[in-house]
Amino acid sequence: MLRPTSRVRPDAYEAVFGALAHPARRRVLLAIYFNGGAMTAGEIAAIFAHAWQTTTRHLQVLEAAGLLRHERQGRMRLYRIERKRLALVSEWLAHFQRPVRRRSRGEQDVKIKDIKGHQGDARKTRSA
């Protein structure tokens, strides 16, 4: 299993990457970022051509993943980006910035098991 550098639970990574998997949610984050880091739900919905319910759902997913937070201002909701949570993406990608240490064949098999579970065992029995 991947060992994150922080003490973040693995399901936090799942939530963040799951939320970022949809292009509309990535566009929402970009829109908020390029509009000074905060926008109302109405301003966000006005940018996108999809229905209000769809925009609301995307905002809910982003908020549930911890990528956005909102505060009430009268009858409006002001959404802001949660930069600390978004930093999980950079942290995870940093694994690929470091040089890879060459491993012996035995160490590679262990790593594959850690990442894929028991699928490595099935591959060994097929090739034996």
Side-chain angles (χ1 to χ4, degrees), residues 20 93 107 113:
L20 293 174
L93 289 172
E107 286 179 316
K113 283 182 189 177

Side-chain angles (χ1 to χ4, degrees), residues 42-94:
E43 291 170 332
I44 295 166
I47 293 174
F48 300 100
H50 32 57
W52 170 251
Q53 293 86 0
T54 305
T55 301
T56 300
R57 180 66 186 136
H58 288 312
L59 291 170
Q60 289 171 344
V61 170
L62 288 165
E63 197 166 16
L67 295 170
L68 288 181
R69 65 179 162 80
H70 80 272
E71 58 189 59
R72 301 288 268 164
Q73 289 188 343
R75 293 177 20 182
M76 296 184 300
R77 287 181 179 219
L78 185 66
Y79 285 88
R80 294 186 191 277
I81 294 174
E82 283 290 332
R83 292 183 190 276
K84 285 184 181 179
R85 187 63 157 212
L86 198 53
L88 290 178
V89 176
S90 299
E91 181 182 299
W92 188 83
L93 289 172

Side-chain angles (χ1 to χ4, degrees), residues 100-113 124:
V100 178
R101 181 179 64 89
R102 293 194 67 66
R103 294 179 172 85
S104 69
R105 180 67 181 144
E107 286 179 316
Q108 287 176 348
D109 288 344
V110 169
K111 259 317 195 199
I112 290 170
K113 283 182 189 177
K124 282 186 200 174

